[in-house]
Amino acid sequence: MVCVCNATYCDTLDPVVLPALGTYVKYESSKAGKRLERSEGSFQRSLHAPGLLLTLNVSTMYQHVKGFGGSLSDAAALNILGLSRPAQDNLLRSYFSESGIEYNLIRLPMACSDFSVRPYSYDDVPHDYELKHFRLAEEDLKMKIPLLHRASAMSRRPLSLYASPWTSPAWMKSNGDVRGKGTLKGQPGDKYHKTWANYFIKFLDEYAKHNVTFWAVTAQNEPLAALLTPPQFPTIAFTAAQQRDFVVHDLGPALARSPHHTRLIILDDQRIHLPHWAKVVLGNATAAHYVAGMGVHWYLDGIVPASCSLEATHKLFPDHFLLYTEACSGFITLRFSVSLGCWERGDRYSHSILTVLNHFVAGWTDWNLALDLEGGPNWVKNYVDSPVIVDSTKDVFYKQPMFYHLGHFSKFIPEGSRRVGLHSSRRCLICQLEHVAILRPDGALVLVVLNR
């Protein structure tokens, strides 16, 4: 099931209109081909329900929702801009406008990630501790910043941007290379760590000159990435204790001193590291003061249950949010990274989002907004899938089941919503229903149900 979009055609949705009292609006997607198909109905007064009965309890309130979205990597930007201007607009509208699924979160790599066409940093002049030679790249100036302005202009909701670094300049790293695994030279509090913290501020300064502001930064993308990634993968390794000390001595104070009201997110890695990582970092009162929340990647979710990682962390640190910051299908597959029209990959997205929302997570961010038919470009050949696949040779893009699954959450659950109580009349082992109930700021209730 895909929708084929081009310069003149793309499926659209109507803006959400709240139902009249006593009625409901239903949106349905299915493997058979329904794509957020809208219908209406009325509530019945009788309480006799022969099947499963779900009862919402709005007096039981849980976490606030931050939102849903995807990542504007270099690869995503390249693929979007590889289309004709009208097709680009259709793609951006699909994600950000009222006629689309209304994303409000955008994650942005700070300089290169593996989803770039080349490894690079913003300051390749050795020993430039003053960062006098710090410059944004062509990828920022010609691709990402213009696309952010266009997405923002299309969006009815305010967009929250957050940035994540993969690697520092080579001269700050122990391995002397932007590529591959290394640690930051020296110790927290020294000139390397101070310079690296100021690199974050320079990034925020330069983007601000282009009228782009960031809600948050993460301290490091996958600080323990060495566990999963190809040898050339650009990364800086941190232990939890090293991240705590970097936050306490360098990054926390630098952000606090800066003119930017940018929040700080730690971890940005797999939930197998929770609650340990949170205990080490947030167990320090100074670090906890600087940190707003924890970022989580979905790749090893099958190894550790949500209750003993996410929920356990929330119980220990209820004032720090949990946010899913990266997820994608097609990673480490032996057969094919991109699987056009694969319903099961969409199904896994919904299953993940429902599970984590029910365990105190505040939002969910997909990885690349758009990739090509190979699942790239990616300079370490770490190809994966995306909800939108672009074929620039035909000037078309394909909206996959993952796109519509995400839309069941992003379009209907705006920032500021809250999860509320939901009780099932019986545990139905054969029906495999998963669900979450959300109260929106406008007082409307949203119930999302996945039938697996």
Side-chain angles (χ1 to χ4, degrees), residues 225-236:
L227 299 174
L228 283 178
T229 51
Q232 291 282 290
F233 187 88
T235 189
I236 313 173

Side-chain angles (χ1 to χ4, degrees), residues 72-74 107-113 122 144 164 166 203 367:
L72 187 60
S73 61
D74 292 349
R107 182 179 184 226
L108 211 74
M110 202 186 289
C112 80
S113 71
Y122 294 136
K144 292 191 279 196
S164 302
W166 265 244
F203 171 83
W367 191 194

Side-chain angles (χ1 to χ4, degrees), residues 60-110:
T60 307
M61 296 270 203
Y62 299 104
Q63 79 273 22
H64 283 90
V65 173
K66 178 64 191 174
F68 303 88
S71 303
L72 187 60
S73 61
D74 292 349
L78 267 167
N79 281 306
I80 295 167
L81 293 170
L83 295 163
S84 65
R85 183 75 183 213
Q88 293 173 28
D89 284 337
N90 277 338
L91 194 159
L92 292 170
R93 270 196 293 269
S94 291
Y95 272 131
F96 298 104
S97 79
E98 275 195 295
S99 64
I101 59 174
E102 300 189 69
Y103 273 10
N104 74 314
L105 291 182
I106 302 179
R107 182 179 184 226
L108 211 74
M110 202 186 289

Side-chain angles (χ1 to χ4, degrees), residues 118-133:
R118 64 189 180 103
Y120 65 93
S121 86
Y122 294 136
D123 189 343
D124 293 323
V125 178
H127 314 300
D128 181 18
Y129 300 108
E130 302 291 309
L131 298 174
K132 287 193 171 80
H133 300 277

Side-chain angles (χ1 to χ4, degrees), residues 295-347:
V296 185
H297 292 195
W298 90 328
Y299 303 102
L300 300 180
D301 277 6
I303 294 175
V304 57
S307 54
C308 38
S309 49
L310 305 172
E311 191 162 340
T313 305
H314 171 77
K315 283 180 174 160
L316 289 168
F317 304 102
D319 297 331
H320 291 80
F321 64 75
L322 289 156
L323 178 71
Y324 263 54
T325 51
E326 191 181 308
C328 67
S329 290
F331 62 97
I332 323 179
T333 46
L334 297 173
R335 290 177 301 149
F336 36 79
S337 303
V338 174
S339 180
L340 271 185
C342 176
W343 177 261
E344 287 66 33
R345 289 184 175 182
D347 195 76

